[in-house]
Amino acid sequence: MQSPVQNLLGSLSGEWKLNLETQIPRNDLYKSRIASSRPTLGFFLLLICSAVIATLGLISNSTAVVIGAMIVAPLMDPILSLAFGLSIADNRLVKRSAITVIIGVLTVIATATLLGWILDASEVNREIYSRTAPNLIDLGIAVAAAIAGSFTLTRDRLSNSIAGVAIAVALVPPLCVCGIGLSMGSEVIAVFGRGSVAGLSNQISEGSFLLFLANLIGITVASLMVFLLQRYGSIHRSWRNLLVWLGLLGLLCIPLASSLRDFSIRQNIDAQFATFKAGRVKQFKLTEKNPYLWKKVKLLYSNVRVSQNNATIELVLNAQEGLITQKVIDELHQRIITRARKDYGINEISVNISVIPNQIFKYNFTEGKQS
Protein backbone atom coordinates (compact mmCIF):
# COMPACT_ATOMS: atom_id res chain seq x y z
CA MET A 1 0.00 0.00 0.00
CA GLN A 2 1.39 3.42 -1.00
CA SER A 3 1.93 6.18 1.54
CA PRO A 4 0.21 9.60 1.21
CA VAL A 5 3.56 11.09 0.09
CA GLN A 6 3.90 8.53 -2.71
CA ASN A 7 0.31 9.14 -3.78
CA LEU A 8 0.96 12.90 -3.88
CA LEU A 9 4.15 12.51 -5.91
CA GLY A 10 2.40 10.14 -8.31
CA SER A 11 -0.43 12.60 -8.76
CA LEU A 12 1.90 15.53 -9.40
CA SER A 13 4.14 13.61 -11.84
CA GLY A 14 1.39 11.77 -13.69
CA GLU A 15 2.76 8.49 -12.26
CA TRP A 16 6.08 9.03 -14.02
CA LYS A 17 8.39 5.99 -13.93
CA LEU A 18 11.67 5.06 -15.57
CA ASN A 19 10.89 2.51 -18.28
CA LEU A 20 13.72 0.10 -19.06
CA GLU A 21 13.23 -1.24 -22.58
CA THR A 22 13.49 -4.97 -23.10
CA GLN A 23 16.62 -6.15 -24.87
CA ILE A 24 16.29 -7.87 -28.21
CA PRO A 25 17.02 -11.59 -27.72
CA ARG A 26 20.53 -12.66 -28.66
CA ASN A 27 19.35 -15.04 -31.40
CA ASP A 28 17.23 -12.35 -33.06
CA LEU A 29 20.10 -9.85 -33.02
CA TYR A 30 22.47 -12.52 -34.35
CA LYS A 31 20.14 -13.25 -37.28
CA SER A 32 19.84 -9.55 -38.15
CA ARG A 33 23.62 -9.10 -38.01
CA ILE A 34 24.14 -12.11 -40.30
CA ALA A 35 21.71 -10.56 -42.80
CA SER A 36 23.54 -7.19 -42.62
CA SER A 37 26.92 -8.85 -43.20
CA ARG A 38 25.77 -10.23 -46.55
CA PRO A 39 25.75 -7.53 -49.25
CA THR A 40 22.63 -7.35 -51.42
CA LEU A 41 21.70 -5.53 -54.60
CA GLY A 42 19.87 -2.94 -52.49
CA PHE A 43 23.00 -2.40 -50.37
CA PHE A 44 25.16 -1.57 -53.38
CA LEU A 45 22.44 0.52 -55.03
CA LEU A 46 22.04 2.68 -51.92
CA LEU A 47 25.81 2.86 -51.45
CA ILE A 48 26.46 4.03 -55.02
CA CYS A 49 23.59 6.54 -54.84
CA SER A 50 24.96 7.83 -51.54
CA ALA A 51 28.44 8.16 -53.06
CA VAL A 52 27.06 10.06 -56.07
CA ILE A 53 25.02 12.42 -53.87
CA ALA A 54 27.92 13.04 -51.49
CA THR A 55 30.46 13.60 -54.29
CA LEU A 56 28.24 16.08 -56.10
CA GLY A 57 27.46 17.83 -52.81
CA LEU A 58 31.15 18.07 -51.95
CA ILE A 59 32.13 19.41 -55.37
CA SER A 60 29.29 21.96 -55.30
CA ASN A 61 30.13 22.88 -51.68
CA SER A 62 26.58 22.08 -50.50
CA THR A 63 26.28 21.01 -46.85
CA ALA A 64 22.60 20.05 -47.19
CA VAL A 65 23.31 17.65 -50.05
CA VAL A 66 26.16 15.99 -48.14
CA ILE A 67 23.86 15.47 -45.13
CA GLY A 68 21.32 13.83 -47.44
CA ALA A 69 23.99 11.39 -48.62
CA MET A 70 24.75 10.42 -45.00
CA ILE A 71 21.12 9.37 -44.47
CA VAL A 72 21.09 7.17 -47.59
CA ALA A 73 24.43 5.47 -46.86
CA PRO A 74 24.07 1.84 -45.55
CA LEU A 75 27.76 1.38 -44.70
CA MET A 76 27.31 1.46 -40.92
CA ASP A 77 25.28 -1.77 -40.87
CA PRO A 78 28.13 -4.16 -41.81
CA ILE A 79 30.48 -2.31 -39.43
CA LEU A 80 28.06 -2.99 -36.56
CA SER A 81 27.89 -6.61 -37.72
CA LEU A 82 31.69 -6.70 -37.58
CA ALA A 83 31.64 -5.41 -34.00
CA PHE A 84 28.96 -7.93 -33.01
CA GLY A 85 30.97 -10.76 -34.55
CA LEU A 86 34.04 -9.66 -32.57
CA SER A 87 32.03 -9.56 -29.34
CA ILE A 88 30.77 -13.15 -29.74
CA ALA A 89 34.07 -14.37 -31.30
CA ASP A 90 32.31 -15.56 -34.48
CA ASN A 91 35.16 -15.59 -37.01
CA ARG A 92 32.86 -16.36 -39.93
CA LEU A 93 30.68 -13.32 -39.20
CA VAL A 94 33.78 -11.15 -38.67
CA LYS A 95 35.34 -12.18 -42.00
CA ARG A 96 32.11 -11.78 -43.95
CA SER A 97 31.40 -8.35 -42.43
CA ALA A 98 35.00 -7.19 -43.00
CA ILE A 99 34.86 -8.20 -46.68
CA THR A 100 31.54 -6.37 -47.09
CA VAL A 101 33.02 -3.23 -45.53
CA ILE A 102 36.13 -3.41 -47.73
CA ILE A 103 34.09 -3.89 -50.92
CA GLY A 104 31.81 -1.03 -49.85
CA VAL A 105 34.79 1.26 -49.22
CA LEU A 106 36.31 0.47 -52.63
CA THR A 107 32.93 1.02 -54.31
CA VAL A 108 32.50 4.48 -52.78
CA ILE A 109 36.08 5.57 -53.56
CA ALA A 110 35.84 4.29 -57.15
CA THR A 111 32.49 6.07 -57.69
CA ALA A 112 33.83 9.36 -56.31
CA THR A 113 37.05 9.06 -58.33
CA LEU A 114 35.11 8.46 -61.55
CA LEU A 115 32.78 11.41 -60.90
CA GLY A 116 35.69 13.67 -59.98
CA TRP A 117 37.46 12.71 -63.21
CA ILE A 118 34.31 13.23 -65.34
CA LEU A 119 33.58 16.63 -63.76
CA ASP A 120 37.25 17.60 -63.88
CA ALA A 121 37.30 18.57 -60.20
CA SER A 122 40.41 20.61 -59.45
CA GLU A 123 39.26 23.06 -56.80
CA VAL A 124 39.12 22.26 -53.10
CA ASN A 125 36.34 24.10 -51.28
CA ARG A 126 35.42 24.28 -47.59
CA GLU A 127 33.30 21.11 -47.59
CA ILE A 128 36.18 19.08 -49.02
CA TYR A 129 38.98 20.66 -47.01
CA SER A 130 37.13 20.29 -43.69
CA ARG A 131 37.41 16.50 -44.03
CA THR A 132 41.16 16.37 -44.63
CA ALA A 133 42.46 17.10 -41.13
CA PRO A 134 40.80 14.75 -38.58
CA ASN A 135 41.65 14.94 -34.88
CA LEU A 136 40.59 13.43 -31.57
CA ILE A 137 37.32 15.39 -31.68
CA ASP A 138 36.28 13.37 -34.76
CA LEU A 139 37.17 10.15 -32.94
CA GLY A 140 35.04 11.23 -29.99
CA ILE A 141 32.10 11.86 -32.33
CA ALA A 142 32.53 8.39 -33.85
CA VAL A 143 32.62 6.73 -30.42
CA ALA A 144 29.50 8.55 -29.19
CA ALA A 145 27.65 7.76 -32.43
CA ALA A 146 28.69 4.11 -32.19
CA ILE A 147 27.38 3.81 -28.64
CA ALA A 148 24.05 5.26 -29.77
CA GLY A 149 23.94 3.09 -32.90
CA SER A 150 24.84 -0.21 -31.24
CA PHE A 151 22.49 0.43 -28.31
CA THR A 152 19.71 1.27 -30.78
CA LEU A 153 20.16 -2.14 -32.40
CA THR A 154 19.44 -3.86 -29.10
CA ARG A 155 16.17 -2.01 -28.47
CA ASP A 156 13.13 -2.22 -30.75
CA ARG A 157 11.65 1.09 -29.64
CA LEU A 158 14.81 3.05 -30.54
CA SER A 159 15.18 1.85 -34.13
CA ASN A 160 14.05 5.25 -35.52
CA SER A 161 17.22 6.88 -34.15
CA ILE A 162 19.59 5.09 -36.54
CA ALA A 163 19.23 7.81 -39.23
CA GLY A 164 20.52 10.43 -36.81
CA VAL A 165 23.44 8.18 -35.93
CA ALA A 166 24.32 7.87 -39.63
CA ILE A 167 24.37 11.66 -39.98
CA ALA A 168 26.58 12.09 -36.91
CA VAL A 169 29.26 9.60 -37.90
CA ALA A 170 29.51 10.47 -41.65
CA LEU A 171 31.21 7.43 -43.19
CA VAL A 172 30.65 8.04 -46.91
CA PRO A 173 31.70 11.74 -47.31
CA PRO A 174 35.34 11.17 -46.18
CA LEU A 175 35.64 8.28 -48.66
CA CYS A 176 34.20 10.50 -51.39
CA VAL A 177 36.76 13.20 -50.55
CA CYS A 178 39.45 10.52 -50.83
CA GLY A 179 38.15 9.59 -54.29
CA ILE A 180 37.95 13.24 -55.36
CA GLY A 181 41.55 13.70 -54.22
CA LEU A 182 42.66 10.69 -56.27
CA SER A 183 40.97 12.12 -59.37
CA MET A 184 42.91 15.38 -59.05
CA GLY A 185 46.36 15.86 -60.45
CA SER A 186 49.25 17.65 -58.81
CA GLU A 187 47.86 21.06 -59.79
CA VAL A 188 45.24 21.38 -57.07
CA ILE A 189 43.92 24.73 -55.90
CA ALA A 190 42.23 25.15 -52.54
CA VAL A 191 40.03 28.23 -52.29
CA PHE A 192 39.43 29.92 -48.94
CA GLY A 193 37.37 33.07 -49.22
CA ARG A 194 39.65 35.48 -51.09
CA GLY A 195 42.75 33.30 -50.96
CA SER A 196 44.00 30.08 -52.46
CA VAL A 197 46.61 27.41 -51.73
CA ALA A 198 48.17 24.96 -54.19
CA GLY A 199 49.69 21.51 -53.72
CA LEU A 200 47.17 19.78 -51.42
CA SER A 201 46.60 16.63 -53.51
CA ASN A 202 48.27 14.17 -51.12
CA GLN A 203 46.77 15.78 -48.02
CA ILE A 204 43.24 15.49 -49.43
CA SER A 205 43.33 11.72 -50.00
CA GLU A 206 45.43 10.78 -46.97
CA GLY A 207 43.66 13.06 -44.50
CA SER A 208 40.15 12.06 -45.57
CA PHE A 209 40.99 8.35 -45.46
CA LEU A 210 42.45 8.84 -41.96
CA LEU A 211 39.09 10.39 -40.98
CA PHE A 212 37.30 7.29 -42.28
CA LEU A 213 39.68 5.03 -40.33
CA ALA A 214 38.97 7.07 -37.19
CA ASN A 215 35.24 6.54 -37.73
CA LEU A 216 35.66 2.84 -38.54
CA ILE A 217 37.89 1.97 -35.58
CA GLY A 218 35.97 4.22 -33.18
CA ILE A 219 32.64 2.62 -34.16
CA THR A 220 34.01 -0.92 -33.95
CA VAL A 221 35.65 -0.52 -30.53
CA ALA A 222 32.73 1.36 -28.95
CA SER A 223 30.13 -1.04 -30.37
CA LEU A 224 32.18 -4.03 -29.25
CA MET A 225 32.20 -2.65 -25.70
CA VAL A 226 28.43 -1.98 -25.79
CA PHE A 227 27.66 -5.54 -26.93
CA LEU A 228 29.94 -6.98 -24.24
CA LEU A 229 28.43 -4.81 -21.49
CA GLN A 230 24.96 -6.02 -22.47
CA ARG A 231 26.23 -9.62 -22.32
CA TYR A 232 25.60 -10.49 -25.92
CA GLY A 233 29.18 -11.72 -26.00
CA SER A 234 31.70 -13.02 -23.49
CA ILE A 235 34.91 -11.23 -22.52
CA HIS A 236 36.53 -14.64 -21.94
CA ARG A 237 36.04 -15.54 -25.59
CA SER A 238 36.60 -12.15 -27.21
CA TRP A 239 39.42 -10.60 -25.14
CA ARG A 240 41.94 -11.09 -27.94
CA ASN A 241 39.70 -9.23 -30.40
CA LEU A 242 39.22 -6.45 -27.87
CA LEU A 243 42.98 -6.08 -27.29
CA VAL A 244 43.73 -5.98 -31.03
CA TRP A 245 41.18 -3.24 -31.72
CA LEU A 246 42.18 -1.27 -28.64
CA GLY A 247 45.76 -1.42 -29.97
CA LEU A 248 44.60 -0.08 -33.34
CA LEU A 249 42.73 2.68 -31.52
CA GLY A 250 45.87 3.59 -29.59
CA LEU A 251 47.96 3.80 -32.78
CA LEU A 252 45.31 5.95 -34.42
CA CYS A 253 45.33 8.37 -31.49
CA ILE A 254 48.95 9.38 -32.23
CA PRO A 255 48.32 11.31 -35.49
CA LEU A 256 44.91 12.46 -34.27
CA ALA A 257 46.43 13.98 -31.11
CA SER A 258 48.99 15.85 -33.22
CA SER A 259 46.20 17.11 -35.48
CA LEU A 260 44.20 18.20 -32.43
CA ARG A 261 47.13 20.37 -31.34
CA ASP A 262 47.21 22.00 -34.78
CA PHE A 263 43.45 22.52 -34.53
CA SER A 264 43.78 24.17 -31.10
CA ILE A 265 46.53 26.51 -32.34
CA ARG A 266 44.41 27.51 -35.34
CA GLN A 267 41.42 28.20 -33.08
CA ASN A 268 43.52 30.38 -30.75
CA ILE A 269 45.02 32.42 -33.60
CA ASP A 270 41.59 32.74 -35.21
CA ALA A 271 40.24 34.07 -31.92
CA GLN A 272 42.90 36.78 -31.96
CA PHE A 273 41.75 37.99 -35.37
CA ALA A 274 38.08 37.72 -34.35
CA THR A 275 38.64 40.39 -31.70
CA PHE A 276 40.05 42.68 -34.37
CA LYS A 277 37.04 42.03 -36.64
CA ALA A 278 34.74 42.95 -33.76
CA GLY A 279 36.55 46.26 -33.34
CA ARG A 280 38.21 45.38 -30.03
CA VAL A 281 41.67 46.60 -31.04
CA LYS A 282 43.06 46.72 -27.50
CA GLN A 283 42.37 43.01 -27.08
CA PHE A 284 44.00 42.17 -30.40
CA LYS A 285 47.37 41.06 -29.10
CA LEU A 286 49.03 40.87 -32.51
CA THR A 287 48.76 44.62 -33.03
CA GLU A 288 49.79 46.19 -29.77
CA LYS A 289 51.91 48.74 -31.67
CA ASN A 290 50.20 51.73 -33.28
CA PRO A 291 46.80 51.15 -31.60
CA TYR A 292 45.36 54.47 -32.89
CA LEU A 293 46.31 53.60 -36.46
CA TRP A 294 44.69 50.17 -36.24
CA LYS A 295 41.42 51.68 -35.04
CA LYS A 296 41.08 53.10 -38.55
CA VAL A 297 41.74 49.73 -40.22
CA LYS A 298 39.04 47.12 -40.93
CA LEU A 299 39.85 43.41 -41.14
CA LEU A 300 37.70 42.10 -44.01
CA TYR A 301 38.91 38.50 -43.99
CA SER A 302 41.26 36.23 -42.08
CA ASN A 303 42.13 32.59 -42.60
CA VAL A 304 44.49 30.43 -40.55
CA ARG A 305 45.66 26.96 -41.56
CA VAL A 306 47.94 24.83 -39.38
CA SER A 307 49.40 21.49 -40.46
CA GLN A 308 52.21 19.57 -38.76
CA ASN A 309 53.14 22.63 -36.70
CA ASN A 310 53.43 24.82 -39.82
CA ALA A 311 51.04 27.76 -40.18
CA THR A 312 49.69 29.79 -43.08
CA ILE A 313 47.97 33.05 -42.14
CA GLU A 314 46.08 35.16 -44.65
CA LEU A 315 44.70 38.65 -43.97
CA VAL A 316 42.73 41.11 -46.09
CA LEU A 317 42.71 44.65 -44.66
CA ASN A 318 40.70 47.70 -45.65
CA ALA A 319 42.00 51.22 -44.86
CA GLN A 320 42.22 54.74 -46.20
CA GLU A 321 44.67 55.05 -49.06
CA GLY A 322 48.18 55.85 -47.84
CA LEU A 323 47.41 54.97 -44.21
CA ILE A 324 49.08 51.54 -44.26
CA THR A 325 52.66 51.83 -45.45
CA GLN A 326 55.26 49.14 -46.11
CA LYS A 327 56.77 49.85 -42.69
CA VAL A 328 53.41 49.19 -40.98
CA ILE A 329 52.97 45.94 -42.90
CA ASP A 330 56.51 44.80 -42.00
CA GLU A 331 55.79 45.64 -38.37
CA LEU A 332 52.54 43.64 -38.41
CA HIS A 333 54.22 40.72 -40.18
CA GLN A 334 57.02 40.56 -37.63
CA ARG A 335 54.56 40.85 -34.75
CA ILE A 336 52.50 37.91 -36.03
CA ILE A 337 55.57 35.70 -36.51
CA THR A 338 57.00 36.55 -33.09
CA ARG A 339 53.79 35.80 -31.21
CA ALA A 340 53.04 32.64 -33.21
CA ARG A 341 56.47 31.21 -32.40
CA LYS A 342 56.54 32.39 -28.80
CA ASP A 343 52.97 31.50 -27.78
CA TYR A 344 52.28 28.45 -29.93
CA GLY A 345 55.68 27.03 -30.88
CA ILE A 346 55.07 27.23 -34.63
CA ASN A 347 58.08 26.10 -36.67
CA GLU A 348 57.38 27.64 -40.05
CA ILE A 349 55.00 30.54 -40.71
CA SER A 350 53.75 31.93 -44.00
CA VAL A 351 51.90 35.25 -43.80
CA ASN A 352 49.98 36.74 -46.74
CA ILE A 353 48.63 40.28 -46.24
CA SER A 354 46.46 42.09 -48.77
CA VAL A 355 45.37 45.71 -48.40
CA ILE A 356 42.32 47.17 -50.14
CA PRO A 357 42.70 50.98 -50.05
CA ASN A 358 39.84 53.46 -49.77
CA GLN A 359 39.87 56.79 -51.54
CA ILE A 360 38.01 59.74 -50.03
CA PHE A 361 36.48 62.27 -52.42
CA LYS A 362 35.13 65.56 -51.04
CA TYR A 363 32.68 67.69 -52.98
CA ASN A 364 31.88 71.22 -51.77
CA PHE A 365 28.93 73.11 -53.17
CA THR A 366 28.27 76.82 -52.51
CA GLU A 367 25.00 78.31 -53.67
CA GLY A 368 24.51 82.08 -53.69
CA LYS A 369 21.40 83.96 -52.60
CA GLN A 370 18.86 84.79 -55.22
CA SER A 371 17.44 88.37 -55.29
Side-chain angles (χ1 to χ4, degrees), residues 17 46 68 90 133 156 193 202 209 211 214 258 317 335-336 359:
K17 291 181 181 179
L46 287 176
D90 187 331
D156 278 330
N202 292 334
F209 193 73
L211 175 57
S258 175
L317 306 174
R335 187 70 175 171
I336 291 173
Q359 286 185 324

Side-chain angles (χ1 to χ4, degrees), residues 26 30 83-90 93 228 232-234 237-238:
R26 184 180 185 276
Y30 182 59
F84 186 78
L86 291 170
S87 69
I88 64 174
D90 187 331
L93 180 57
L228 287 175
Y232 283 104
S234 170
R237 296 182 58 188
S238 60

Side-chain angles (χ1 to χ4, degrees), residues 20-277:
L20 299 177
E21 303 97 339
T22 305
Q23 282 188 215
I24 295 177
R26 184 180 185 276
N27 289 337
D28 292 348
L29 185 58
Y30 182 59
K31 290 177 182 178
S32 69
R33 290 305 92 203
I34 288 177
S36 297
S37 68
R38 294 170 176 164
T40 61
L41 177 62
F43 172 83
F44 284 110
L45 179 63
L46 287 176
L47 195 62
I48 292 174
C49 289
S50 173
V52 171
I53 295 170
T55 303
L56 295 178
L58 289 165
I59 293 176
S60 63
N61 199 29
S62 174
T63 303
V65 175
V66 176
I67 292 175
M70 299 176 195
I71 299 175
V72 177
L75 195 55
M76 191 167 181
D77 240 4
I79 296 177
L80 291 174
S81 295
L82 171 65
F84 186 78
L86 291 170
S87 69
I88 64 174
D90 187 331
N91 291 330
R92 185 186 301 178
L93 180 57
V94 169
K95 292 176 183 177
R96 188 163 56 239
S97 301
I99 291 173
T100 301
V101 171
I102 291 171
I103 294 175
V105 167
L106 294 177
T107 300
V108 173
I109 293 177
T111 303
T113 303
L114 180 61
L115 275 176
W117 179 74
I118 292 173
L119 298 175
D120 193 24
S122 59
E123 183 178 294
V124 180
N125 53 45
R126 287 283 184 184
E127 280 294 317
I128 294 176
Y129 188 75
S130 65
R131 292 172 171 85
T132 61
N135 54 54
L136 288 176
I137 294 176
D138 298 292
L139 181 61
I141 294 171
V143 169
I147 294 173
S150 54
F151 186 78
T152 296
L153 287 179
T154 65
R155 301 293 192 276
D156 278 330
R157 293 180 60 186
L158 301 178
S159 57
N160 292 333
S161 302
I162 197 68
V165 173
I167 294 174
V169 74
L171 290 164
V172 168
L175 293 175
C176 292
V177 172
C178 182
I180 293 171
L182 292 175
S183 71
M184 296 176 175
S186 57
E187 298 298 326
V188 180
I189 298 176
V191 178
F192 304 96
R194 297 173 176 81
S196 61
V197 178
L200 293 171
S201 182
N202 292 334
Q203 183 181 345
I204 293 168
S205 298
E206 294 172 5
S208 57
F209 193 73
L210 181 62
L211 175 57
F212 170 76
L213 286 180
N215 289 333
L216 172 64
I217 296 175
I219 292 171
T220 304
V221 173
S223 300
L224 172 57
M225 296 293 293
V226 169
F227 291 135
L228 287 175
L229 288 173
Q230 297 191 87
R231 298 182 180 179
Y232 283 104
S234 170
I235 190 67
H236 299 291
R237 296 182 58 188
S238 60
W239 65 270
R240 289 186 181 87
N241 295 332
L242 182 60
L243 285 180
V244 169
W245 282 87
L246 284 175
L248 292 174
L249 186 65
L251 289 175
L252 183 68
C253 285
I254 297 174
L256 294 183
S258 175
S259 184
L260 179 61
R261 182 179 181 276
D262 291 342
F263 175 79
S264 300
I265 292 173
R266 178 172 62 83
Q267 291 293 95
N268 289 332
I269 297 177
D270 263 334
Q272 297 284 334
F273 292 118
T275 61
F276 189 93
K277 285 181 181 179

